Amino acid sequence: MTDVVLDGVEKVYPSGHTAVRNMRLRINDGELFVLLGPSGCGKSTILRMIAGLEEITSGILWLNGAVANELQPRDRNVAMVFQEGALYPHRTVRGNMMFPLEVSGDDRAQATAKVVELARALGLNTMIDRLPGTLSGGQRQRAAIGRALIREPSLFLMDEPLSSLDAGLRTELRVEIAALVRSSGTTTVYVTHDQVEAMTMADRMAVLRDGVLEDVGTPEQVYADPATAFVAAFLSNPPMNMFQATLWAVEGEGLLLDLGPQRLNLPWDDPRAASLISHHGQSVIVGIRPDTLVPIEAGSPARPGTVLSGQVRALEFHGHEWLAYAEAGIPTVEASEVGRVAPPAPPEPEPTRLVDRLRALLGGRAEGGGEPAPEEHAGHHRRSDLIFRAGPGGRPNRGDRVALTVDLDRILLFGADGRRVTPVPR
């Protein structure tokens, strides 16, 4: 019986890098909780702080109602599974799973029976006497999970245990792992960068970026009602359309989303109107998932203010559907950069040699000294495409002009800072 509370937890390394910022999070007893985010967002650091493998710089970690900041890892009753399993290579599957019971001094006969029972549940009974080097990647991960579960820990931590496996095996194992930890009733914190893994496994999930908690809730809540533009884009596959717009409240017309060459119109009776009217004249971000755009057949009527159009420039075949990219001339937004916490700039070293001083003053290369400064690039910017889905029998051709009706009830609206303009139900 363990719940986990992070109360204002931060991790700052001696170099000055802040890996986790003011983390406030509650993980309930018996919950399968997923930490999701891109590489370097702090999710593994949080896991290691919970396990006691990383010191907490500030804030309080509570484990089952008790402050755990100073607890040694061995006193936390935590079991951890890493990406590579980390099995003892000289021990068989049986020996690896038996090891924690040997250390704790369990009765050997009872321990043996327990190992055999768990190996059968994990599908390892036919290879229980084989060494790790003779097993596949999935079998090794099963053995590592078995070694962790055999101890009956109060808290189970899993750090990207499936990321090194092929896609088919990941699908199979994520179903097995979720079923196994739920049947054990053990509180589990699972780290992944894979959106599908998080959405299919989690009871609840947290999305992180740059060490900051962006959103938390059930998979359904976080997907349908994301708190930020980053979360909406990160959980969208295929990619979400993110467009820059100016919001205008116009008497008699409603709320106009000015997308430059095109526009959308929300009527005054839209439930979001009361929240949006305060953003009159301001820049907003419009999030439109591809499945909310439906191609209109030639000659079919469409309500004004609900249609976007473009010229198809690229098509992707996905078996059950086509994904189309239509140039629409609408300014796009890179959601991964919106509302991002900017790291402090490192102090510049004082130039010591004369040539260094001269280079610093000139802002470039001093004659005869060193290499030219590398050219700066503005980075990749997505084209102003409308991304939409088309069925196998109704796909457009490259170069076709298309008109797409927009399901306005399902578009998402964010402020310039990337936060949702309308309230997020939780």
Side-chain angles (χ1 to χ4, degrees), residues 13 35 70 99 116-117 122 138 163 176 182 191 247 274 280 315 325 378 381 388 407 421:
Y13 287 102
L35 297 174
E70 303 301 326
F99 182 74
V116 170
E117 182 183 353
L122 289 165
S163 62
E176 293 182 10
R182 285 196 176 96
V191 161
L247 180 70
H280 169 71
L315 292 162
Y325 296 76
H381 295 279
F388 65 97
D407 184 348
V421 171

Side-chain angles (χ1 to χ4, degrees), residues 61-134:
L61 171 68
W62 301 79
L63 293 179
N64 205 27
V67 176
N69 290 46
E70 303 301 326
L71 273 182
Q72 293 299 310
R74 63 177 176 271
D75 300 323
R76 301 189 184 203
N77 194 21
V78 167
M80 195 164 181
V81 175
F82 299 93
Q83 181 176 333
E84 299 300 333
L87 297 171
Y88 300 113
H90 62 286
R91 283 178 169 261
T92 62
V93 171
R94 186 195 303 271
N96 269 281
M97 292 174 66
M98 183 76 79
F99 182 74
L101 304 180
E102 291 173 352
V103 171
S104 60
D106 286 29
D107 176 78
R108 187 162 186 83
Q110 291 180 354
T112 300
K114 195 173 180 181
V115 166
V116 170
E117 182 183 353
L118 184 55
R120 185 178 296 111
L122 289 165
L124 295 171
N125 50 309
T126 60
M127 55 202 74
I128 195 168
D129 293 314
R130 287 168 57 181
L131 292 170
T134 67

Side-chain angles (χ1 to χ4, degrees), residues 33-34 36 198-199 202-207 215-219 222 235:
F33 192 94
V34 174
L36 173 68
M199 299 283 284
D203 294 324
R204 284 193 308 135
M205 59 192 286
V207 184
D215 203 356
V216 62
T218 66
V222 176
L235 291 179

